[in-house]
Amino acid sequence: MAILSLHSVSRSFGALKVTDDVSFELNAGEALGIIGPNGAGKSTLFNLITGNIAPDAGRVFLDGRDVTRLPPMERVRAGIGRSFQIPQPFGNLSVYENLLVAARFGGELGAGEAPAFCMDILSRTGLAAVAEKPSGGLSLLQRKRLELARAMATKPRVILLDEIAGGLTDAECVELVATIRAIHANGTAIIWIEHVLHALNSVVERLMVLNFGRMLMIGAPDQVMASPEVREIYLGIEA
Amino acid sequence: MTLTRPFGLAAAALALALLYALPAIAPRAVVQDLFGILTLLVLAMNWNMLAGFAGLVSVGQQAFVGIGAYAMFAAIILMGLDPLVGVLIGGLAAAAFAVPMAFFAFRLNGAYFAIGTWVVADIARLGISQWKALGGGTGTSLPKGTAKDMAFVGQIKDMLDVSSAAAADALTYWLMLSLAVAMLVASYVFLRSRMGLGLQAIRDNENAARSVGVDPVKLKALVFLLAAFGTGLCGALAFIQITRVTPDAAFSVIDWTAFVIFITVIGGIGTLPGPIVGVIVFYILQRALADYGTIYLIVLGCLGIVVMLFARRGLWDMFTDRTGIDLMPLTHRPPQGSLPRPKPSRRAA
Ligand SMILES: Nc1ncnc2c1ncn2[C@@H]1O[C@H](COP(=O)(O)OP(=O)(O)O)[C@@H](O)[C@H]1O
Ligand SMILES: [Mg+2]
């Protein structure tokens, strides 16, 4: 059964239709990749799924339940975790505290179990050494890791990852892919927006292409990548 | 760093013991003086929770002082209750008023929130001045002997061997001091709790806080309500000593909000010891410049500007930065032994 489904979701900013009649289903435990040029509406689609932005039309379902009207904090507790493309750490809190907030609120963990849970995530995301550092002072790379770690700490059943691999070295990318695979192996469903295609395609089972807010294609990664239309759009990005 | 904290706490405990002993060892004028300062401290601690921790920059806290004071007067004059019960009713009335006020003010952001709270406070002042039973626009006084008949005044009179009036002053002073201590402890416990952590996340990034499950409106509304209760208690208690209430005095934005903002800002907004430091500085300035009238206010204003320009987070933050001493840290440390230990970071409380 689909864990998440969108039914004809649309959203405009002024005259600009940023999400145009998007429908798809994500199966429980599935990993879906989203690609598309800058400005295609990928991040906006995430915001519509998480409730940070309200759709003009269409509905969002989680486990068959209509969550279109639920605010973000209730959707997190219902199991949708997210990272932000531009990292949004709680800058005055330490890295550990950033996760603690997520675990205590989104993950609904008690004071007893949350600390060890957070530390486990920090070590899996390579942040244990900076656990006590104020998150505002982290490097961009560490901030991106923190985005991933904090999303994990909300105990999501669907995790939405927005361009967390950009700017990584090859070795770091391999590490990141391993982490995401591990999340996937736990049965967590994933939607991953990424320009680093080899990393993306080594994880996801299906790939969606967005262009000008429209869903151009969705299917097996090699099929999608073989499509002439997609190759044309992606020429600039692959290079 | 590790030894200074116990020293600091010991010094604080000693100062507190001295403060409690004060009515037994100091003249009545000093007790009254310190009562005024403690009143400002409690108000500043409440405002600090609002503005410094919940991001709610209210300029309408005088609404809660005024409503607390008037509810206390009503409890005594109209209902014949003991003033101490009246103080409690004052706090509850202020909290009750905070509910509709929040419904209105929470629709506004930033500067509009500040102005909105001010407007509501003034509407409350105008409303109260229509209350004929409590003297309307000219206000009213506590019935003669009210303070002397308060619960516990007799015992304190015997214990300290002073006049009834001095015993009443001692009682209100002890209550205000206890209110300050309770506020400090409650704020600390609250900020270190799950909700306090959520509040700090909201302060840093409200959008991200929502996305990890924190409900900003709920937490802010809770702080607003609790601060209204604390401010109402404080206002009611303050007016037992003042013994006379008028709408203009009880709802004075200068006395109950402007000075309070000044104290919090110079001491350190968003830090727990900040209001204490601020109120000490305020007190010293007041004593030193008492004879100069308006100049006192000018110096106060200039100092506020200097601090805002050069020590944004106030004197306490400057102190913790220089010395590393932090008496009330709000940091949650990771479980020990579970991570490689880098140099621990420190955040001001
Ligand atoms: N809050 C907003 N207000 C106005 N325009 C927006 C807003 N968010 C996104 N947009 C616009 O919507 C388009 C899609 O943005 P986005 O979803 O971030 O694209 P992508 O993530 O695919 O690069 C862009 O043209 C962007 O400028
Ligand atoms: Mg984007």
Side-chain angles (χ1 to χ4, degrees):
Chain A
M1 185 192 144
I3 185 166
L4 181 74
S5 60
L6 272 67
H7 292 206
S8 304
V9 171
S10 293
R11 169 75 203 216
S12 302
F13 290 116
L16 188 67
K17 199 142 201 184
V18 179
T19 307
D20 191 355
D21 195 25
V22 172
S23 301
F24 71 91
E25 296 204 328
L26 181 76
N27 294 317
E30 189 191 9
L32 170 72
I34 299 183
I35 60 172
N38 281 325
K42 304 181 297 295
S43 296
T44 302
L45 190 63
F46 271 12
N47 285 327
L48 290 165
I49 295 172
T50 58
N52 291 85
I53 290 177
D56 297 328
R59 327 225 118 256
V60 179
F61 292 86
L62 183 71
D63 299 316
R65 167 182 169 223
D66 189 342
V67 297
T68 317
R69 300 258 160 265
L70 287 190
M73 45 274 184
E74 282 178 44
R75 295 197 206 186
V76 190
R77 289 197 288 268
I80 304 177
R82 74 163 304 169
S83 76
F84 288 97
Q85 180 179 354
I86 297 164
Q88 299 196 16
F90 305 123
N92 291 307
L93 298 187
S94 71
V95 169
Y96 168 73
E97 287 169 317
N98 266 261
L99 267 69
L100 201 57
V101 180
R104 295 297 311 273
F105 283 86
E108 300 185 282
L109 289 180
E113 43 189 351
F117 175 76
C118 293
M119 286 318 296
D120 178 51
I121 294 173
L122 285 179
S123 56
R124 280 162 60 198
T125 48
L127 289 170
V130 291
E132 292 194 78
K133 279 229 174 103
S135 61
L138 296 182
S139 69
L140 181 63
L141 178 69
Q142 288 169 327
R143 284 172 190 232
K144 291 239 169 196
R145 284 190 184 164
L146 177 56
E147 280 295 326
L148 170 65
R150 198 175 63 186
M152 288 164 70
T154 62
K155 289 191 97 182
R157 286 177 301 130
V158 186
I159 191 167
L160 311 182
L161 305 173
D162 196 347
E163 298 194 26
I164 55 171
L168 297 193
T169 65
D170 284 348
E172 286 161 351
C173 208
V174 169
E175 236 177 84
L176 179 69
V177 165
T179 309
I180 295 175
R181 275 177 187 280
I183 298 171
H184 191 29
N186 273 341
T188 308
I190 298 173
I191 307 183
W192 186 6
I193 296 172
E194 196 54 73
H195 288 310
V196 185
L197 292 181
H198 62 88
L200 187 64
N201 288 336
S202 70
V203 174
V204 301
E205 285 118 21
R206 281 197 299 165
L207 201 55
M208 175 199 296
V209 186
L210 275 182
N211 200 21
F212 295 113
R214 299 191 58 109
M215 196 173 81
L216 210 63
M217 254 189 121
I218 188 166
D222 40 347
Q223 267 174 17
V224 170
M225 294 315 295
S227 142
E229 218 177 344
V230 171
R231 297 196 72 85
E232 194 179 313
I233 293 171
Y234 248 70
L235 228 58
I237 293 166
E238 260 298 54
Chain B
M1 303 305 107
T2 39
L3 260 181
T4 40
R5 189 158 180 241
F7 269 121
L9 291 178
L14 191 68
L16 194 62
L18 258 175
L19 282 172
Y20 268 106
L22 200 81
I25 53 181
R28 195 177 154 201
V30 173
V31 174
Q32 286 178 336
D33 227 26
L34 269 175
F35 176 82
I37 288 298
L38 285 171
T39 305
L40 286 173
L41 174 60
V42 172
L43 294 175
M45 289 199 282
N46 276 289
W47 191 80
N48 188 38
M49 283 303 288
L50 279 178
F53 288 101
L56 297 167
V57 181
S58 166
V59 190
Q61 293 310 98
Q62 66 276 16
F64 305 120
V65 173
I67 285 172
Y70 266 93
M72 183 270 293
F73 270 71
I76 295 170
I77 296 175
L78 305 179
M79 297 156 77
L81 296 171
D82 187 271
L84 298 186
V85 179
V87 169
L88 197 61
I89 291 175
L92 293 173
F97 184 74
V99 176
M101 184 164 170
F103 269 107
F104 164 71
F106 275 41
R107 288 169 197 281
L108 308 170
N109 280 317
Y112 292 96
F113 178 84
I115 294 164
T117 50
W118 193 351
V119 169
V120 171
D122 221 47
I123 292 171
R125 178 182 65 83
L126 292 170
I128 289 281
S129 54
Q130 302 304 311
W131 196 352
K132 293 290 184 294
L134 289 180
T138 50
T140 188
S141 297
L142 285 178
K144 256 204 154 46
T146 301
K148 292 173 197 164
D149 296 339
M150 250 187 314
F152 309 117
V153 167
Q155 289 95 312
I156 294 169
K157 182 174 180 285
D158 295 340
M159 189 176 83
L160 298 181
D161 192 20
V162 291
S163 69
S164 297
D169 280 351
L171 176 61
T172 48
Y173 168 85
W174 278 328
L175 286 175
M176 194 60 92
L177 181 58
S178 304
L179 190 56
V181 173
M183 262 305 295
L184 188 64
V185 172
S187 302
Y188 183 67
V189 170
F190 179 79
L191 288 169
R192 287 201 46 95
S193 74
R194 170 179 176 272
M195 285 190 286
L197 190 62
L199 206 58
Q200 293 176 71
I202 293 167
R203 185 173 66 166
D204 281 0
N205 190 326
E206 188 160 334
N207 190 43
R210 244 185 250 116
S211 292
V212 297
V214 183
D215 189 337
V217 176
K218 211 161 103 182
L219 278 180
K220 287 181 179 187
L222 181 67
V223 174
F224 192 72
L225 205 72
L226 291 175
F229 180 63
T231 305
L233 283 180
C234 181
L237 197 52
F239 274 86
I240 286 190
Q241 215 212 32
I242 297 168
T243 70
R244 177 166 173 74
V245 74
T246 66
D248 287 348
F251 290 84
S252 161
V253 65
I254 302 283
D255 290 343
W256 309 125
T257 300
F259 283 147
V260 163
I261 293 176
F262 168 83
I263 286 167
T264 313
V265 166
I266 55 167
I269 188 167
T271 72
L272 280 179
I276 300 173
V277 174
V279 94
I280 292 170
V281 172
F282 182 81
Y283 184 64
I284 293 169
L285 282 178
Q286 206 183 39
R287 307 286 350 226
L289 302 171
D291 298 335
Y292 299 95
T294 328
I295 294 185
Y296 158 62
L297 287 174
I298 295 174
V299 170
L300 223 57
C302 291
L303 181 71
I305 290 169
V306 167
V307 168
M308 276 188 260
L309 286 179
F310 300 107
R312 282 241 143 164
R313 298 203 54 204
L315 297 176
W316 178 254
D317 209 49
M318 210 162 86
F319 175 76
T320 52
D321 270 356
R322 295 269 161 88
T323 61
I325 299 171
D326 194 354
L327 294 180
M328 304 187 98
L330 298 174
T331 323
H332 295 258
R333 306 283 301 273
Q336 300 304 303
S338 61
L339 73 166
R341 298 220 64 85
K343 210 172 135 236
S345 67
R346 183 187 43 73
R347 196 176 70 250

